[in-house]
Amino acid sequence: MEDFDDDGPEIIKRFMYVNRRAPYGTIYALECLEVVLVAAAFDQDVSVVFVDDGVCQLKKNQDTTEIGMKNFSRTYGALDDYDVEKIYVEKESLEARGLTVDDLVIPVEVVAAAQLQVIMAQQDVVISS
Amino acid sequence: MSSMLHIVNKSPFDRNALDSCLRLAGSGSAILLIEDGVYAAVAKAAQADKITGRMGDCSFYALGPDIAARGLSDISLIDGIQVVDYEGFVDLVAEHGATQSWL
């Protein structure tokens, strides 16, 4: 049996996933979360960013029982289990929506737009949703 | 002529549906926020004054199940917005004249 894991030099790229949509109005948020969890299995350098309405994905205390949709907000807690530890939330987006870091379902790094520009420019691949 | 019911289901941060609604809704209109439209109901949100500015001549409603789904039940909503359930939604449609959905 070939062991693919040890063949050749390991190439690690920086992948950034940019979330800009609210959680339930469209399918973007759920799809992106699933993509991140799949991608996390490939041992790359993964960052997940929440800007604009994307910050609403992380709001605590979501209860979807009355709208008949899956509440996937707890799944963000699995990012840590998959060793996705670079999770950024844009400060400006959070403030515009009347939210603070205490309103969020997982620990994140709140960064200003100017800081996020720098982090974004360092990536090899940026995937937006 | 009975007053209109306007329904907004888009986030005010993402689309201009709420702006268009507020521009074209006449005095006495009822405005119901549903789905991502409920983000407009957050008291501390940056555009809250858009709604408070029309509070005097329009009545505002937001759909409770959509508020709960988005985790906004523990957050202050703009004073004067009435939270309704699905039955309240039906009542609003029945009580008003034409319904305009700002898709």
Side-chain angles (χ1 to χ4, degrees):
Chain A
M1 286 270 285
E2 273 187 85
D3 185 348
F4 291 101
D5 285 340
D6 295 331
D7 282 346
E10 198 177 6
I11 298 169
I12 294 184
K13 287 191 173 183
R14 291 179 189 149
F15 284 79
M16 173 178 275
Y17 296 87
V18 182
N19 289 276
R20 293 187 51 249
R21 305 289 185 123
Y24 301 109
T26 66
I27 199 69
Y28 288 92
L30 176 57
E31 291 286 318
C32 185
L33 179 58
E34 292 187 347
V35 169
V36 170
L37 292 174
V38 169
F42 289 90
D43 287 332
Q44 300 293 307
D45 180 339
V46 173
S47 321
V48 185
V49 178
F50 297 87
V51 299
D52 298 329
D53 276 349
V55 303
C56 299
Q57 294 176 27
L58 298 180
K59 179 67 185 67
K60 265 184 197 167
N61 298 330
Q62 294 177 26
D63 176 0
T64 59
T65 47
E66 283 190 277
I67 66 164
M69 292 177 80
K70 180 184 169 192
N71 177 359
F72 56 91
S73 65
R74 283 192 190 88
T75 312
Y76 292 99
L79 291 172
D80 187 54
D81 302 330
Y82 284 78
D83 293 324
V84 175
E85 285 156 355
K86 295 172 184 169
I87 301 172
Y88 305 105
V89 170
E90 192 205 22
K91 184 170 178 282
E92 288 82 348
S93 300
L94 205 54
E95 286 175 356
R97 285 156 188 79
L99 300 174
T100 71
V101 71
D102 295 332
D103 289 311
L104 306 183
V105 76
I106 51 167
V108 300
E109 190 175 339
V110 177
V111 293
Q115 221 177 329
L116 193 52
Q117 279 182 15
V118 176
I119 300 167
M120 206 171 267
Q122 292 167 344
Q123 305 300 315
D124 295 304
V125 180
V126 178
I127 294 165
S128 196
S129 72
Chain B
M1 195 175 73
S2 52
S3 65
M4 275 186 77
L5 173 66
H6 297 268
I7 301 175
V8 177
N9 77 335
K10 297 295 188 291
S11 162
F13 301 99
D14 189 42
R15 302 276 288 271
N16 63 2
L18 179 66
D19 288 330
S20 299
C21 169
L22 294 174
R23 191 176 71 246
L24 293 167
S27 259
S29 293
I31 298 167
L32 170 63
L33 307 171
I34 67 167
E35 299 168 9
D36 286 346
V38 300
Y39 289 116
V42 175
K44 284 185 180 168
Q47 37 43 230
D49 55 333
K50 287 179 184 171
I51 286 181
T52 53
R54 290 300 302 276
M55 212 46 120
D57 73 321
C58 292
S59 46
F60 287 87
Y61 305 87
L63 193 61
D66 287 326
I67 288 170
R70 288 159 182 78
L72 303 179
S73 299
D74 64 359
I75 239 172
S76 305
L77 303 183
I78 295 167
D79 265 351
I81 293 185
Q82 298 177 58
V83 176
V84 296
D85 57 12
Y86 291 121
E87 285 179 21
F89 188 160
V90 174
D91 290 341
L92 284 171
V93 173
E95 288 162 7
H96 291 83
T99 295
Q100 158 77 323
S101 281
W102 293 88
L103 304 178

